[in-house]
Amino acid sequence: MNKLKMASEKSASRVLMLLSQLERLNEEPKVSDNDAIRQTTGKILHLIQTQEKTRKEVASKSSGGMEIILSSLENTQDLQTTLNILAILNELLTVGGGCRTGVFVSKGGTALLLQLLVGSSKDPPANEELMLHIHSLLVKVGLKDRKLGVKARLNGALNVTLNLVKYNLQNHKLLLPCLQVLRVYSSNLVNAVSLGKSGTLEIMFEIIGPFSKKSTTLLKVALDTLASLLKSGMNARRAVDRGYLPTLLTIYQDWHRNDTRHRHVVIRKSILGCIKNLTNIKLGRKAFIDANGMRILYNTSTECLPVRTLDPLVNTSSLIMRKCFPKNRLPLPTIKSVFHHPLLHIPASGPVAKLYNQPPGVDDVVDESDENEATEVDTENDTEYDEDETGPKTQNDDIETDINKLRPIQMNTRPFDELRAYEYFFREFSENFELHRPIIIPTTPSSLGPQNRRPPQEDLLTPKPDESPLELDSISISKRPEGTSDPDLVCSLGRLVLDDEGGEQAVLEVPDTAALLPLHDPDLYLEMVKSTRSVPAYTEVGYPDYFGHVALNLREPILERVYGVQRMKIFQDIERLIHPSDILDKVVYDLDNQSCPVTDNGESLKFNSKFESGNLRKAIQVRKFEYDLILNSDINSNHYHQWFYFEVGNMRPGVRYRFNIINCEKSNSQFNYGMQVLMYSVQDAINGSPHWVRTGSDICYYKNHFSRSSIAAGGQKGKSYFTLTFTVTFQHKDDVCYFAYHYPYTYSMLKMHLQKLSALRTAQIYYRQDDLCVTLGGNSCPLLTITAMPGSSSNDPISQFRSRPVVFLSARVHPGETNSSWVMKGTLEYLMSCSPQAQSLRESYIFKIIPMLNPDGVINGNHRCSLSGEDLNRQWQNPNAELHPTIYHAKSLLQYLRATGRTPLVFCDYHGHSRKKNVFMYGCSIKETVWQTNVNTSTCDLHEDLGYRTLPKLLSQMAPAFSLSSCSFVVERSKEATARVVVWREIGVQRSYTMESTLCGCDQGKYKGLQIGTSELEEMGAQFCLALLRLKRFTSRLERHNHNSHLLDMETDLIETRSIPNITSPTTYVLEEDEPAFLEEVDYSAESNDEIDPDLEPDLQDNHAPQTPILTQKSG
């Protein structure tokens, strides 16, 4: 070992000596020194080839070896010396990785090589060994020098390499490195166009060809070079014009047939890569269809499916076929909602004016995708086998950087005279609480003016007391005859009368669930429905909403995704084009054509959505057991499709039915990560299991071939809708089942729950319900006041009562986020409970609660908007009293509180999130916002109390579904008009939050791996109350001094992990999703940066779950 070490050290010292000698020769070049330089470089080459330590010594910075060698290369005119030096460089850059190559590039080595290449080509014939060395080095350099292509073009090296390829097609030894360099050159778009004009495409097609076991490495490089060239639209058009696309399809088929042992999958994938780039342009897609490319790739892919190692071929083929699938328009007369609600005042610049002022004859469903060429497909996610070429995430440019906009507004924004009318809603602050007065203040209408009065109810389509029961179409609900009883039932709720075509009626006994659902009363629900105003004037009621939902005792795990399920669904979609004769294309339900009933032979499912919160516009039977479903847009809108709630009947048991909701808009969904749809079976309910259950298999969510109109896509062309597909096997014959995006919670259900809750009040509870205002649709918006009654009417208890801090809560501004209503239900039930903790909580705070900010949207099955066609959570900065009455008056309440010195301690708006798991919060922080930017500010500018983090921290300790790591306190520009930010900035509420609840489930804590249910959501609402109770000790004036240090300690672990200004902690990164893309899937989200997606925006999370109960169900 010692001898080897000594020999190594000796050789290292010798190479240093040789480098010094070479440096001296470079400084005083003489013609007679050529032999000396040649011998010296030869000796260095020999040492480098035999000793690794020598290579390290030459490449080290201390030795200056790289500079000496490059200087020698620049100065020498001797061919052998040049070859020696190039061989030395090849040895250095071959062993040692990118570090040595980086040093070579930084010392100007790239330019020297290109100059040598161009200079040597001027005296033909060029030396083959020299060209081989130069191009071998350029291949290595290309991995590190991103500007190599530009340098080559400026030095005139492109044509030199191209000519070498052209005249050495049979000389594979030289051809291979030249092709590799061409591949590097063509990665630059300008170079690719230039090379294309010089005939490079034609040369590539002379090299590639049918199946052959020879020269496969050369063929692979040629195909990769061709694929790089075809990324240029000009080259792609040239290739299509020359008929190369059918040639590539033929070559691919030949390799597919002959590569029976799958030893050349990389070559087959490279051929597909060329086809994929050709089909990025409209002309290429047409040529692909004309060449029968769909059938060719479908057949070859089908044969590859059984072999897992061929997934790269299947995935790429699937991507190409989906891209080339002719873009279809949605089978609708218009993308506008079926229903229209006239507005008394329509702002000229508002969305409704734009929607209904389109010129006559404008087809708002027209397919305009091809006008945008390939901008969309370039953003698609390829398969997992493609290299990730994306760089690090760019900074979120939506973060607010204006410090002035992050500071609270110090002055009241409205005169107090305007706010004085809202004193009516705060009567508890002036109440004397004399013992002879009623303890409970009854519900009263608002007195804010005629615009808020409830409209007359005479025109509601509800039965009078002396009329027959409210018809449910084929199912009607009637009372059990008086005097009858059934000892087997605890109590008889009623019976469902199923009217069949023969006129006979089958009476089905339905057990009562009152013991399990203390806040549910079917008769009371019907009464509430009668006073609910809907735009379609619904006369039916959903059975689940009438009968009620009992939470399951068992846990429902997050569905494990079957490998290849999306690919299988996509192939079934492609089969529609391959085998059009198999497609029925039969409309079985259509809200656009209600006057023309659908004829049926009894073989089709029957659909219905004509009930509160229902949303299904059209159902098309595609195959015998497959249906395409289209959702209705929000009223006075032409988009926002995600929430669904509909009824299905006439099914066969044991048959796998596939449902495809084909006009979803979000680019990703938790349906790709284990979430299932919800189903309610009437037969199961009758048999004693009235549950919404998670159901469905083969669930996935992916981009489809239905084109979104640019009118509905914010002017962007080339966008597509997304499909949610799921398969269901029904258990009962002639059952009636309901499907929903999330657990439905209707406006009528809220009214019923509030009435039942008011009955729970005791002498210790102060409970009052007011009508804050009347909505555009004529429905009241309830405002609740809950606190504890004062101990007596004497001064001290009254003073203590009036000094309680206010907690302001709201929910359901987005109708599709029904989970927020279930959380609110849990909060309300806890606040009205008799437990000592609940009483302590009531004694600690005065709660002002608006449980449903958007009643009209909920009633009419909207996903996001109110009847104004606008997202109400974008109107908080400047709400309009006529168009956004609930937001206008809710903000006025808060402004009144601030003006009277009673700024709420906590404001929380309950929401739902469709693309993340767990429950979490978004808050507002100047510090954490600035830390996410490059803005330089002084410490005094960032002075901020950390109290905004206390409540989320407490929730993370108490609520099993809550995730602190998912919380964010960054303020973004796009959120400046949301409740959370406006209440923080304008009202001055430091603890202003949006609380987001998942639609799917949890990936941490007690509920890890489980889908969330109503019991967990209600538990979250109760835990929120308990966290407020614990918050009291952190905000008490007497204890603030003692606990302040503890509060800071509690937050230390959240702050110390941050690096300023670049924070990567998930607690502050707003836009990053929880879930990675599926490795197996092809283009599962397709457009990750498609457009501003409300669901990625904390306060706009689109959790579509508006409940649409049907009082009258159809079974026939």
Side-chain angles (χ1 to χ4, degrees), residues 241-260:
D241 290 339
R242 284 161 172 72
Y244 290 150
L245 200 149
T247 302
L248 286 171
L249 286 171
T250 301
I251 292 174
Y252 180 73
Q253 280 182 293
D254 187 67
W255 279 86
H256 173 79
R257 282 193 300 265
N258 291 286
D259 185 23
T260 54

Side-chain angles (χ1 to χ4, degrees), residues 583-805:
I583 305 305
L584 300 178
D585 203 24
K586 175 183 176 182
V587 178
V588 296
Y589 180 73
D590 192 358
L591 287 182
D592 288 286
N593 192 19
Q594 299 183 62
S595 60
C596 182
V598 176
T599 59
D600 182 42
N601 57 5
E603 292 295 321
S604 303
L605 294 177
K606 295 185 178 180
F607 295 83
N608 181 33
S609 62
K610 301 173 187 175
F611 47 82
E612 187 178 347
S613 292
N615 191 326
L616 177 65
R617 180 171 185 167
K618 193 171 188 175
I620 304 169
Q621 187 175 11
V622 180
R623 299 181 178 97
K624 187 174 183 179
F625 301 115
E626 181 179 355
Y627 294 82
D628 281 354
L629 309 179
I630 301 176
L631 305 180
N632 192 26
S633 303
D634 285 3
I635 292 177
N636 282 337
S637 172
N638 58 11
H639 57 306
Y640 298 117
H641 313 107
Q642 208 79 11
W643 163 255
F644 57 86
Y645 184 17
F646 57 88
E647 170 195 311
V648 177
N650 199 42
M651 65 281 292
R652 294 184 186 180
V655 172
R656 287 172 56 84
Y657 288 90
R658 176 183 172 183
F659 298 97
N660 311 305
I661 299 177
I662 62 174
N663 64 330
C664 300
E665 293 175 333
K666 288 181 176 294
S667 59
N668 195 7
S669 169
Q670 282 291 316
F671 284 117
N672 272 332
Y673 301 98
M675 186 169 83
Q676 294 175 281
V677 298
L678 284 152
M679 187 182 79
Y680 190 105
S681 165
V682 172
Q683 285 284 0
D684 284 345
I686 292 170
N687 294 333
S689 299
H691 310 297
W692 280 104
V693 297
R694 300 278 186 172
T695 192
S697 60
D698 296 344
I699 300 175
C700 52
Y701 187 97
Y702 56 90
K703 191 178 72 169
N704 61 33
H705 59 275
F706 289 101
S707 179
R708 287 182 68 186
S709 167
S710 61
I711 296 174
Q716 299 180 77
K717 298 180 180 180
K719 301 302 176 184
S720 296
Y721 286 105
F722 290 76
T723 290
L724 163 62
T725 181
F726 57 95
T727 301
V728 174
T729 302
F730 298 102
Q731 302 301 315
H732 308 293
K733 181 181 180 183
D734 296 328
D735 195 1
V736 175
C737 293
Y738 292 81
F739 291 96
Y741 185 73
H742 198 66
Y743 300 94
Y745 192 104
T746 65
Y747 174 68
S748 297
M749 191 182 298
L750 171 68
K751 292 192 294 181
M752 175 189 66
H753 285 162
L754 293 183
Q755 187 157 330
K756 298 285 284 186
L757 276 172
S758 67
L760 301 178
R761 58 197 175 189
T762 65
Q764 288 75 39
I765 300 176
Y766 183 103
Y767 175 91
R768 187 178 76 245
Q769 179 178 335
D770 294 307
D771 289 344
L772 176 63
C773 62
V774 173
T775 66
L776 293 175
N779 298 286
S780 65
C781 178
L783 168 67
L784 308 180
T785 303
I786 302 176
T787 187
M789 290 292 292
S792 69
S793 58
S794 58
N795 289 336
D796 287 346
I798 295 296
S799 176
Q800 186 277 336
F801 175 92
R802 294 174 179 173
S803 65
R804 294 172 187 169

Side-chain angles (χ1 to χ4, degrees), residues 379 424 725:
T379 67
Y424 172 82
T725 181

Side-chain angles (χ1 to χ4, degrees), residues 926-1076:
I926 297 177
K927 278 185 178 181
E928 298 197 37
T929 302
V930 171
W931 286 348
Q932 286 278 28
T933 69
N934 293 322
V935 175
N936 293 320
T937 57
S938 63
T939 305
C940 59
D941 289 333
L942 298 181
H943 178 71
E944 185 175 44
D945 188 347
L946 290 174
Y948 65 90
R949 275 190 170 270
T950 310
L951 187 57
K953 179 71 174 181
L954 292 172
L955 283 170
S956 71
Q957 296 170 349
M958 302 169 63
F962 194 87
S963 170
L964 185 63
S965 64
S966 296
C967 296
S968 172
F969 304 93
V970 173
V971 179
E972 296 175 291
R973 296 187 184 98
S974 60
K975 314 302 184 308
E976 63 181 3
T978 61
R980 166 178 63 98
V981 177
V982 170
V983 173
W984 171 69
R985 185 165 183 261
E986 295 186 21
I987 309 301
V989 179
Q990 182 194 32
R991 298 175 178 86
S992 179
Y993 306 104
T994 296
M995 186 163 73
E996 301 280 353
S997 300
T998 178
L999 287 168
C1000 177
C1002 299
D1003 59 12
Q1004 53 87 46
K1006 174 182 175 183
Y1007 301 130
K1008 182 177 181 179
L1010 299 176
Q1011 295 186 76
I1012 205 161
T1014 55
S1015 59
E1016 290 78 27
L1017 293 169
E1018 292 183 48
E1019 177 192 62
M1020 187 65 234
Q1023 293 288 355
F1024 182 81
C1025 293
L1026 289 172
L1028 288 174
L1029 189 58
R1030 289 186 60 185
L1031 178 69
K1032 178 186 175 183
R1033 72 186 182 96
F1034 291 110
T1035 56
S1036 168
R1037 292 182 180 180
L1038 296 176
E1039 297 177 346
R1040 181 170 299 160
H1041 176 73
N1042 296 331
H1043 289 285
N1044 188 50
S1045 60
H1046 173 70
L1047 173 61
L1048 293 176
D1049 291 341
M1050 182 179 68
E1051 309 300 340
T1052 300
D1053 60 316
L1054 302 172
I1055 301 303
E1056 63 186 5
T1057 58
R1058 303 180 184 281
S1059 59
I1060 303 174
N1062 297 319
I1063 301 175
T1064 59
S1065 168
T1067 61
T1068 58
Y1069 189 61
V1070 178
L1071 295 184
E1072 186 174 10
E1073 290 184 42
D1074 282 351
E1075 314 291 2

Side-chain angles (χ1 to χ4, degrees), residues 730-949:
F730 298 102
Q731 302 301 315
H732 308 293
K733 181 181 180 183
D734 296 328
D735 195 1
V736 175
C737 293
Y738 292 81
F739 291 96
Y741 185 73
H742 198 66
Y743 300 94
Y745 192 104
T746 65
Y747 174 68
S748 297
M749 191 182 298
L750 171 68
K751 292 192 294 181
M752 175 189 66
H753 285 162
L754 293 183
Q755 187 157 330
K756 298 285 284 186
L757 276 172
S758 67
L760 301 178
R761 58 197 175 189
T762 65
Q764 288 75 39
I765 300 176
Y766 183 103
Y767 175 91
R768 187 178 76 245
Q769 179 178 335
D770 294 307
D771 289 344
L772 176 63
C773 62
V774 173
T775 66
L776 293 175
N779 298 286
S780 65
C781 178
L783 168 67
L784 308 180
T785 303
I786 302 176
T787 187
M789 290 292 292
S792 69
S793 58
S794 58
N795 289 336
D796 287 346
I798 295 296
S799 176
Q800 186 277 336
F801 175 92
R802 294 174 179 173
S803 65
R804 294 172 187 169
V806 174
V807 172
F808 201 108
L809 306 178
S810 62
R812 207 65 185 282
V813 69
H814 294 142
E817 298 169 10
T818 57
N819 46 358
S820 66
S821 282
W822 289 100
V823 176
M824 178 59 76
K825 179 174 180 285
T827 295
L828 293 175
E829 288 187 30
Y830 188 87
L831 286 175
M832 294 299 292
S833 67
C834 298
S835 70
Q837 293 92 340
Q839 179 62 18
S840 178
L841 183 64
R842 290 190 293 266
E843 292 171 353
S844 302
Y845 303 107
I846 294 175
F847 288 88
K848 289 291 182 180
I849 302 174
I850 305 177
M852 191 171 284
L853 276 168
N854 191 352
D856 291 340
V858 172
I859 293 165
N860 294 286
N862 283 7
H863 168 62
R864 195 166 195 84
C865 298
S866 70
L867 294 185
S868 69
E870 297 168 294
D871 181 349
L872 290 182
N873 202 37
R874 291 296 195 182
Q875 312 305 323
W876 279 82
Q877 268 189 331
N878 188 28
N880 183 292
E882 293 182 3
L883 294 176
H884 326 115
T886 61
I887 305 302
Y888 178 85
H889 294 299
K891 184 177 181 180
S892 297
L893 293 176
L894 290 160
Q895 290 172 323
Y896 175 84
L897 285 169
R898 172 173 178 170
T900 56
R902 299 180 183 275
T903 300
L905 177 70
V906 174
F907 171 86
C908 190
D909 190 20
Y910 293 4
H911 280 251
H913 204 299
S914 68
R915 291 175 62 165
K916 297 183 75 173
K917 291 184 171 68
N918 309 312
V919 181
F920 51 94
M921 278 181 159
Y922 291 111
C924 302
S925 164
I926 297 177
K927 278 185 178 181
E928 298 197 37
T929 302
V930 171
W931 286 348
Q932 286 278 28
T933 69
N934 293 322
V935 175
N936 293 320
T937 57
S938 63
T939 305
C940 59
D941 289 333
L942 298 181
H943 178 71
E944 185 175 44
D945 188 347
L946 290 174
Y948 65 90
R949 275 190 170 270

